[in-house]
Amino acid sequence: LFLCLGFTDALSIADHAYGPSHYKCGLLLNNLADVYRKRHEVATAKPLYEKALQILQKALGQVKKDERKECFFLLTVLLFFS
């Protein structure tokens, strides 16, 4: 529960600082979804993964070159499990 709150707080801060469609918000959503998935709360995790996927697909132009590899990997995983 504490970890979920930490990601939720970080997501709120990133959302305010960068905007909800920034790739960093997508990465945080993915991390939060991972926590729920590992807690076997798949119904809670799935919409977070889907939102993360939408953000990352739209935001790849914002991603710095050295961070693209991580985002491409994440997109591949998200698309595979969608």
Side-chain angles (χ1 to χ4, degrees):
L1 180 62
F2 179 74
L3 192 55
C4 291
L5 291 175
F7 279 120
T8 303
D9 291 342
L11 182 59
S12 177
I13 292 167
D15 187 46
H16 181 71
Y18 302 112
S21 60
H22 195 274
Y23 78 95
K24 289 184 180 183
C25 292
L27 294 176
L28 286 167
L29 277 168
N30 176 73
N31 292 343
L32 181 58
D34 280 345
V35 171
Y36 283 116
R37 181 185 52 80
K38 289 176 183 176
R39 293 175 59 193
H40 306 286
E41 297 180 35
V42 177
T44 304
K46 186 175 179 181
L48 297 174
Y49 280 128
E50 291 170 349
K51 188 172 179 181
L53 178 61
Q54 289 175 343
I55 291 170
L56 291 172
Q57 285 176 323
K58 291 179 184 177
L60 279 178
Q62 301 172 13
V63 179
K64 295 177 187 174
K65 191 174 185 176
D66 58 333
E67 296 173 321
R68 286 184 186 160
K69 185 176 181 181
E70 178 184 355
C71 288
F72 281 125
F73 173 74
L74 179 57
L75 280 172
T76 303
V77 170
L78 290 173
L79 286 168
F80 181 76
F81 288 106
S82 293

